[in-house]
Amino acid sequence: MNSISMLFLLSGSLIALSILASRLSSLFGLPLLIIFLALGMLAGEDGVLGIQFDNYSVAFVIGHLALAMILLDGGMRTRLKTFRVGFKPALSMATVGVFITSGVVGLIAMWIFDLTLVEGLLIGAIVGSTDAAAVFSMLRGQGININERVGATLEIESGTNDPMAIFLTLMFIQLLISDENTILGNVLFFLQQFGFGIGIGLLGGWLVKRLLSKLELVPGLYSLLALALGFTIFGLASWVGGSGFLAIYLCGLMIGSENTRQLQHILPVYDGLAWLSQIGLFLVLGMLVTPTELMEYALPSLIIALALIFVARPLAVVLSVKPFFKFRWREIGFISWVGLRGAVPIVLAIFPVIGGVDNASMYFNVAFAVVLLSLLIQGGTLLPMAKWMRVQIPKKASPRQRGSLGILPERDYEMFVYKVENHRLDEQPIRLLRFPSGAMISALFRNEEMIHPKGSTRLKLGDILCVISREEDLDNLNELFNGDNQLNQKQLAFFGSFVLNGDAMLVDVAKAYGLTISPQEVGVSLGEFIARRVGGHPVVGDDIDWHGIHWVVNEVDGDTVKKVGMRLY
């Protein structure tokens, strides 16, 4: 069998096995990325297939391509409005937090491996950043619905902290292999990484979004054009000394900032490409490692991983977030726990090998072991930790399917498909439904037959409705169809049985429920009162204890609290 045939046979089989093995994730609670890494190791030199793959340069290129694709997709799926609550703390963790994490881990590594200070700090720099692929796949893949403040902070941090880790890694490598290293040069390199990365990413993303909105292409070409231009922006930022990873993440953020017709063609394609990138990347990295060598570093790597998880990461989060931003301790605890390490530390560990650093295999094997342990310990316990730290919020009804109609270039109409599960809608005539003014039912399916809906048509439980509307009506539609019994019970338990408007004056609420307020709170609304108590950026799920009652934010619009639930003890 020739080499081309063998390449197709092995790559196709491994990818197919990875996808099929993903069922183990739901059956046994194993993180998907662990499964991909394990399959790569089984296919590698000490595994079942015995594939000898030790080309670090090829793995380095594959790692950059895959991470660029993952970050582009992640940026497009990060809602721009979440930046109001997550950008500042995420940026603090992406810079100061990575610096503290790297320093603490570096000192511990220096002591465990009996290294010089610079060698120990190089290990800290390599494992100092969280991984976008791991964070995106874990939070979205496990269906954990956490509050916006925590979720936005974690996602933005994972997409923006690579420049700091790369800067520290390259700086310490340069210190080890050359004496020509100055403080001024390092400062300039740091400013280049962030400055050019941010500037080129934002400007390039805006230009790509404008270009996509003006072009009329075959639907399948929009995703290819966006990918090609995203890679161009990555390459341009890297060429001028900036961070390509930061640039392509911000490029994706700009492209996905508006739900355009073109974006509806791009995102489904990128979902598959992002998964393919993750599978391919972790298979390659799994084949690159030699398990027999890895075992030599198992015990010291375990100590470093535990120090990273239980000491360095929590300390970095507390010091970089708590003094400056109003996060609750349980939110700080969950953010500390979701310091997932993934492909980025392993790719960074290739730098010392390519750079010719002495004992380079140590850095690679330690990074690999730390990633494995992080995914097992942290990735495998995200759901129970989210429940324990009380950062989850109940899911609300959402369309079973949705898709753009492709009629208008901007603010296009969409088709939302709902199933009638709300008992209050049973036997209700359509004309009496409180539909948004711009929405209409285009089709109704009952017992697998299509019925042409009229104003007098009465809905029945189990009906499938196709609703044509715009994205701004989605919340109202979700509220209308929000009727699953189990879902409602969870929402009532979380938000409380009574819901008040956020613009209700605090003095009126106090009179109605026999509460007392201070003179300074007389002219304040209930929503403003809660927003001040939580730090000015309220999110759904925020709660405060006032007069023995939990007041829970039920709905927000920007920084304005629209609805508040009362949850009695």
Side-chain angles (χ1 to χ4, degrees), residues 194-205:
F194 275 92
F196 285 125
I198 293 172
I200 293 174
L202 291 176
L203 178 60

Side-chain angles (χ1 to χ4, degrees), residues 97 100-102 104-105 108 306-317:
I100 295 172
T101 303
S102 302
V104 173
V105 173
I108 295 171
L306 293 176
L308 172 65
I309 294 169
F310 293 103
V311 180
R313 170 70 177 182
L315 183 63
V317 173

